[in-house]
Amino acid sequence: MLEIKNIDVYYGDLQALWDVSVNIAKGEIVTLIGSNGAGKSTLLKTISGLLKPRKGSILFEEVELDKLPAYKTVELGIAMVPEGRKIFTEMSVHENLELGAFTREARKEKNKTAEWVYEIFPILKERTRQKAGTLSGGEQQMLAIGRGLMSLPKLLIIDEMSLGLAPVIVQEIAAILKKINKTKGTSIFLVEQNVQMVLALADRGYIIENGRIVREGKTDALLNSESVRNAYLGI
């Protein structure tokens, strides 16, 4: 589905990614793990078209993303849930959701999709007319994910889902994402620092350090790796 092949990415003359390759198959949950400054956000900006690789390619269902303007990624079926949620605080919960129905097909289905989002996040149903800025952090994250789902994505990318949230809320949202993946077949790409949570949730994982992929594999193998446990789990 998504195939990132040997990309180098720069900010001006400063190289940020070196020979990075990542693959996500249809129906998979994949995670990218790394500390602050490792290159996670740079990779997401490159997938979304905000940055262009100087070397390598990015294919989504055989379409060359790196050759297209950023807005085309949504039309092709990729939705991004940004770090920090980035909801519209003065707008209502429902208005935020409607903004997610960006594409022509999504607009046709927006009422049906909104009802589905309310089913999986019932707390949002109770807050339909409430200003989004008055929601709790966990509710805002649910709204940001719901807004992403409104575009009917084939691939949902979530950046730092657990940031600033209580562990119990993180586990609740993780369980919902697993259900979405299983029932809808939506592929999910989680970019996270909460290593234990994402390795328990995802099928496969990549570890990025200093702009390079240093390890990849099935998440159970990564969880059982002594080097990963020492470096990222403090075990």
Side-chain angles (χ1 to χ4, degrees), residues 91-94 126-136 139:
M91 299 177 71
S92 72
V93 166
H94 193 74
E126 299 173 20
R127 308 275 194 267
T128 304
R129 291 186 171 83
Q130 190 170 321
K131 281 189 176 181
T134 66
L135 301 177
S136 69
E139 290 164 353

Side-chain angles (χ1 to χ4, degrees), residues 169-185:
I169 299 298
V170 173
Q171 291 302 320
E172 180 183 348
I173 295 174
I176 292 168
L177 290 177
K178 191 77 170 179
K179 183 177 180 180
I180 292 167
N181 170 255
K182 294 300 181 187
T183 59
K184 295 290 186 178

Side-chain angles (χ1 to χ4, degrees), residues 204-220:
R204 292 188 301 111
Y206 293 83
I207 298 175
I208 188 169
E209 294 178 0
N210 300 315
R212 294 176 170 87
I213 299 295
V214 296
R215 183 156 188 162
E216 63 179 277
K218 295 284 189 180
T219 49
D220 54 356

